[in-house]
Amino acid sequence: MHSRVVGVGRMAGLLRPAMPLASNVHAHALGSRSMTVKVNGDKAEIEYAPCQTYKNDGPATNWIDTTKEEVKAALKQMVTMRRMEIAADLMYKSQLIKGFCHLYDGQEAVAVGIELGCTKKDHIITSYRDHCFQFSRGDSVKRILAELTGREGGSTKGKGGSMHMYYPRNNFWGGNGIVGAQMPLGAGLAMGAKYLTNKGLPRGEAPSDAVCYALCGDGAANQGQVFEATNIAYLWKLPCIFVVENNKYGMGTSAAKAASNEEFYTRYDPLPGLKVDGMDCFAVKAASQYARKWCMEGKGPFVLEMNTYRYHGHSMSDPGLTYRSREEVSGVRKARDPVDKLKKIVAELGWMTEQEVKDVEKQVRAEVDEAVEFSKTSPFPAVSEMYTDVQAENPAYIRGTDGVYGHGTCEWARKE
Amino acid sequence: RNGKRGEGTRRLAGTAGGETKKMNLVQAVNNALYLALETDPKAIIFGEDVGFGGVFRATVDLQERFGKHRVFNTPLCEQGIAGFGIGVAAEGGTAIAEIQFADYIYPAIDQICNEAAKYRFRSGGQFDVGGLTIRAPCGAVGHGGLYHSQSPEAYLTHTPGLVVVVPRSPAQAKGLLLASIRRKDPVVFFEPKALYRSAVEEVAVGDYEVALEAAEVVEEGSDVTLIGYGAQVGVLRQVCALAKQELSVSCEIIDLQTLLPWDRETVFASVRKTGRCIVSHEAPVTCGFGAEVVASVQQHCFLHLEAPVTRVCGLDTPFPLAHEKLYVPDVTRCLDAVKHVTSF
């Protein structure tokens, strides 16, 4: 086994007190990452910035295991996510996508890392910034882009759009437009997992075969229902991992101005929490794995705060520059970009040549381009989709949908 | 602009003559908010992202002019926003809260309907939250989908104690908003977001109010009464023109303006004149506000009716994404209804 240290990153950020202003985005970065990896054949250990802990000891070391296969898959996945969101941005600007579209570029390491730390038997539920989770849970870029353009070939048959994508077979529950609403739902999903494992719902500590990751942003983290969900999850020891994706802004309001306690991983006391470098998919993997083990053992819910960042504005309607500076955005992109980080790790591991990485990017570009074409040519949903799925059994008649729109010829009024 | 403002508009003493300025609906709202804060030292504005001007720019420049202690952001918590506003108003402040989209008002419904609406009644008049006004952009906008297009007025008109107002145009919006802010009851003010930029007209720059609880006859006619509010009034105007042109039918259009309490007398007088009534709104037809109007009209104008009272509304499904054009009560559907009632 040999180890290579590249660069002299320091863990200085750990000791710096949290600063309230968004301009100190880098202060939250837990220091720059040291590129230490230990390679052993097709396996490796990767060093990551240690997590700040609250009411738990956190992972025993700040090294996480990985394999060649895993790293290659993670790279392809993250590159695809990035490419897909950029494609969506271009499509939106050329008006192929209409309505509301919230892009995830900058935050990919959170999705990739969580998936690395769990299985498809575990549940994931998130907000409207869901394209990349739909992909990581198993759907195709084709179907995702076709859903954005509102076509029949889309993930939700074109009925949901950007914010409402679901993948039941791999336990992805969407895709929620109303912020914070997904947290009580997540607690409920965890409740279901515990119930099914134990054939009943033991209120105390009891193992669970699956956990639920319920994600929300730093804005939604101040919603009352999040506190209700964490409260009940703690009382009933539900295997729910509440993940706060802290990208520093809720629409246009910085987390500093919206949260009385910006350290979200401590916010839901007495739930234990970890603050994670959300730009490093291996740090996220470690935290995801640790929290999952905690929940599966029946110790109760857990909070993960992902220190992350979004390059785009809140949505495509928000330029994202009225409340933060261009320098801040480009600064994060230069210093902390998750795709670049993963590529650096890949380079250090030595399992892929630069050309192989370029080939992956080329392949991804081709796949995404093909998906864009599909999303343009897939037909619009049939008119019948307008009044199906309202109830379990489509009622014989939904007022207005018979073409007569409720007033009809008024024949019914002429009858005695 | 000449229209039937008549007794519907009341100008306050001391306003500038008739000087007007071209404004769109969101600018008119901004102007009203500016005047409200200028004339009432106890008025404050708060909501998500209102500080930098708001996602629709309704509060632009207000924080600069009046300061962060009077115009400020809240965290993301509608229930909290409503509750906080109720507290401020209960102590005598003028609380102007913004709910970013009407679709997000549901967490606040408990506070609005159980607390704000009942405050005066439950305390026998010892307390009230008359100083509370809640503004929210509502309605279809072409691409909003399920959670950026809703018209939830019916959930609130069902609650005695509230006042619910929906303007149709910039001039009405400014006057109605000022009246709502100054009204001594909690008011929910829905602004049709589709009209924010597209509705433009000359608006008086002075301080004026448009009377609440007063419907306005926007166009006079003799054959059919068309009743609507908000953006739908614009649709009804087009229907009126087409009906005259294609069917030789003369339509009278009424803009309700205030939904709770609504101006029954103006509506009844019109239907007794025309004998035919169509109510139209974007919200789903079952138990939409139109149901209340139709039930009252048939009861009080029964002997004058020439055709059944009819509704042309949104469908009984969640607001769709791809099929919005088929969902909304557009000109074609409304004209169809006019055809039916006139050939009954």
Side-chain angles (χ1 to χ4, degrees), chain A residues 22-347:
Chain A
S23 59
N24 289 302
V25 143
H26 297 290
H28 292 269
L30 304 177
S32 54
R33 200 185 172 289
S34 74
M35 302 291 172
T36 318
V37 302
K38 294 184 206 162
V39 183
N40 183 13
D42 274 0
K43 297 208 197 75
E45 281 176 62
I46 302 190
E47 191 184 8
Y48 61 90
C51 307
Q52 288 175 8
T53 68
Y54 182 74
K55 297 207 168 167
N56 71 99
D57 293 327
T61 73
N62 57 316
W63 292 84
I64 184 77
D65 300 330
T66 188
T67 65
K68 187 186 204 172
E69 207 182 304
E70 186 178 86
V71 170
K72 282 188 165 172
L75 178 72
K76 179 147 193 245
Q77 195 177 60
M78 209 189 280
V79 169
T80 309
M81 287 178 180
R82 176 63 60 92
R83 191 84 219 143
M84 179 174 74
E85 296 295 75
I86 301 296
D89 169 270
L90 294 170
M91 286 167 72
Y92 193 94
K93 287 177 178 148
S94 38
Q95 306 212 347
L96 289 161
I97 299 175
K98 298 206 173 99
F100 296 88
C101 185
H102 309 81
L103 299 177
Y104 201 69
D105 53 317
Q107 297 183 216
E108 298 92 345
V110 175
V112 171
I114 287 181
E115 295 287 4
L116 290 175
C118 72
T119 71
K120 297 291 186 280
K121 284 211 162 65
D122 298 304
H123 306 277
I124 296 185
I125 188 169
T126 185
S127 67
Y128 44 76
R129 209 176 293 280
D130 59 345
H131 309 161
C132 293
F133 276 105
Q134 180 74 1
F135 177 69
S136 71
R137 283 270 107 173
D139 206 352
S140 66
V141 181
K142 263 195 188 133
R143 275 169 38 105
I144 294 171
L145 292 181
E147 185 60 36
L148 293 181
T149 53
R151 309 298 171 111
E152 193 180 70
S155 313
T156 320
K157 302 187 274 190
K159 288 169 89 146
S162 164
M163 291 190 274
H164 308 292
M165 299 194 186
Y166 307 87
Y167 210 65
R169 86 182 76 138
N170 281 342
N171 296 306
F172 179 54
W173 305 83
N176 291 277
I178 301 297
V179 295
Q182 67 273 21
M183 304 310 256
L185 288 186
L189 291 167
M191 197 187 301
K194 189 175 181 186
Y195 177 96
L196 291 170
T197 306
N198 296 284
K199 305 209 180 7
L201 189 66
R203 298 296 184 86
E205 295 200 1
S208 178
D209 291 340
V211 305
C212 177
Y213 294 84
L215 293 102
C216 74
D218 49 280
N222 303 307
Q223 275 266 336
Q225 53 193 325
V226 180
F227 292 90
E228 290 185 24
T230 51
N231 182 51
I232 215 168
Y234 189 84
L235 288 171
W236 293 359
K237 300 273 174 269
L238 301 180
C240 190
I241 302 167
F242 296 95
V243 184
V244 177
E245 290 185 280
N246 184 1
N247 60 20
K248 310 299 178 301
Y249 298 94
M251 200 2 264
T253 306
S254 73
K257 300 219 176 105
S260 55
N261 173 7
E262 249 187 297
E263 307 299 321
F264 294 100
Y265 69 113
T266 67
R267 192 89 183 274
Y268 305 100
D269 185 78
L271 274 70
L274 288 178
K275 180 161 170 169
V276 188
D277 179 0
M279 304 304 251
D280 181 348
C281 65
F282 287 103
V284 177
K285 175 186 176 182
S288 165
Q289 221 172 54
Y290 180 82
R292 177 169 179 267
K293 181 154 180 285
W294 182 284
C295 290
M296 286 179 84
E297 283 169 359
K299 293 179 22 198
F302 208 91
V303 178
L304 293 179
E305 178 186 341
M306 297 291 169
N307 192 349
T308 183
Y309 201 81
R310 54 162 162 83
Y311 297 141
H312 274 88
H314 162 77
S315 71
M316 289 305 297
S317 322
D318 167 34
L321 295 168
T322 51
Y323 47 86
R324 57 184 190 174
S325 66
R326 230 179 261 276
E327 291 73 41
E328 181 184 297
V329 182
S330 56
V332 174
R333 208 189 270 274
K334 259 193 234 116
R336 302 174 60 207
D337 183 72
V339 182
D340 286 344
K341 252 193 230 277
L342 183 54
K343 281 188 189 164
K344 282 199 190 116
I345 294 172
V346 164

Side-chain angles (χ1 to χ4, degrees), chain A residues 99-100 160-161 163-164 178-179 219-220 223 250-253 258 381-383 386 398-400 405 407-410 413-414, chain B residues 49 55 73 75-78 103-104 143-144 147-148 285-286 308 310-311 315-317 321-323 326 333 336-337 340 343-344:
Chain A
F100 296 88
M163 291 190 274
H164 308 292
I178 301 297
V179 295
Q223 275 266 336
M251 200 2 264
T253 306
V383 173
M386 189 160 71
I398 287 186
R399 292 165 107 179
Y405 304 123
H407 57 78
T409 55
C410 303
R414 294 179 200 270
Chain B
D49 302 305
V55 290
N73 290 347
L76 209 164
C77 51
E78 286 73 21
D103 313 56
Y104 308 163
H143 50 257
Y147 299 110
H148 294 78
V285 59
T286 296
T310 297
R311 290 173 291 172
L315 311 183
D316 284 340
T317 72
L321 182 61
H323 295 119
L326 297 174
R333 285 172 59 193
D336 209 39
H340 283 294
S343 56
F344 184 74

Side-chain angles (χ1 to χ4, degrees), chain B residues 85-97:
Chain B
I86 290 167
V88 168
E91 284 201 278
T94 302
I96 307 170

Side-chain angles (χ1 to χ4, degrees), chain B residues 7 36 67 77 98 106 122 134 164 179 200 242 253 265 273 289 302 306 332 337 339:
Chain B
E7 61 287 284
C77 51
E98 176 179 299
Y106 302 103
R122 73 186 185 199
I134 297 177
V164 180
V200 183
L242 281 170
I253 304 179
E265 286 316 315
K273 180 175 77 169
F289 192 70
F302 184 75
E306 297 292 337
T332 316
K339 271 189 211 154

